[in-house]
Amino acid sequence: MSLPHAILTALLEKPSSGLELTRRFDKSIGYFWSATHQQIYRELGKLEAEGYIRTLPAEQPARGQKKSYEVLPAGRAELARWTATAQDPRPLRDVLLLRLRAAAVVGTAGVESDLRSHLELHRRQLAEYEDIELRDFPPGRATPEDRLRHLVLRAGVELETFWTQWLTHALEEFAELTEKPAPETPEPADGTPG
């Protein structure tokens, strides 16, 4: 149910066409809530049918002109209701962590290279977030809206920092595992092989 609310948020920030929304999702909201072009257009139609948004009147009628949308009072009220409603926290589910757990019982083939790929991805994402922070949140920019947007960005920075540190540590562990042979299983006291 969150995509409609992400769209309402984006439209309240700035009335936009579907294409503009897609571009804005790619540059901001998409970092933590992704949607395809088709999903956005489908949701725009639903939001308009529910009376939450409307198509802005065109300045000059033209065939094939892109439609821009704005949020109506009912849409603002829905977004306020959703924002105020408590959400159940969700535990972390990550396939990489599950694969590491499985590697403990079936072997680590392929896992180290995957850890390196993940580390590179998280390093790039962290650098991008840090660039955004420098560009969009200079010292002194402290309106309540900016502070909340910066808080969201800081969550991204902190998560990417965690992942880069953890993956670096995991790769160090892998290096140690491959350097040392596994300890031999001691034989039972009665001399029979284990």
Side-chain angles (χ1 to χ4, degrees):
M1 180 76 172
S2 294
L3 179 56
H5 300 101
I7 291 172
L8 287 171
T9 300
L11 288 175
L12 278 169
E13 290 173 344
K14 181 182 175 190
S16 304
S17 69
L19 182 57
E20 291 166 338
L21 275 175
T22 300
R23 289 180 181 147
R24 287 174 59 208
F25 262 72
D26 288 344
K27 293 180 182 174
S28 61
I29 291 174
Y31 286 118
F32 55 89
W33 198 270
S34 61
T36 66
H37 188 72
Q38 292 83 5
Q39 289 171 319
I40 289 171
Y41 273 95
R42 192 168 36 248
E43 286 302 326
L44 286 169
K46 290 177 186 176
L47 289 168
E48 192 169 25
E50 291 170 1
Y52 291 153
I53 65 172
R54 75 174 181 124
T55 304
L56 288 170
E59 292 176 15
Q60 296 179 6
R63 194 167 159 231
Q65 183 176 344
K66 63 182 177 182
K67 294 195 270 183
S68 288
Y69 299 89
E70 72 176 353
V71 177
L72 295 170
R76 180 180 282 276
E78 168 55 22
L79 187 60
R81 181 208 61 76
W82 179 78
T83 302
T85 303
Q87 302 288 315
D88 290 334
R90 301 237 166 114
L92 175 67
R93 289 176 52 174
D94 191 286
V95 71
L96 179 63
L97 298 178
L98 181 58
R99 288 181 61 224
L100 279 175
R101 183 69 184 252
V105 292
V106 297
T108 61
V111 176
E112 184 176 1
S113 65
D114 202 29
L115 288 172
R116 290 187 191 287
S117 296
H118 280 259
L119 178 57
E120 183 56 33
L121 171 89
H122 288 289
R123 282 181 175 157
R124 282 194 313 266
Q125 193 64 62
L126 177 58
E128 190 171 342
Y129 286 162
E130 289 172 339
D131 288 346
I132 291 169
E133 186 170 36
L134 286 172
R135 182 191 70 219
D136 294 348
F137 297 100
R141 191 168 172 184
T143 66
E145 296 83 2
D146 285 335
R147 289 175 68 186
L148 289 173
R149 288 181 186 116
H150 192 199
L151 192 60
V152 172
L153 178 62
R154 286 302 310 166
V157 168
E158 297 297 329
L159 282 169
E160 295 305 328
T161 299
F162 160 78
W163 280 113
T164 56
Q165 290 173 347
W166 182 85
L167 287 158
T168 299
H169 175 74
L171 285 164
E172 290 167 358
E173 289 285 327
F174 261 76
E176 284 185 27
L177 291 171
T178 56
E179 287 173 8
K180 298 176 185 176
E184 292 184 25
T185 307
E187 291 187 13
D190 64 3
T192 58

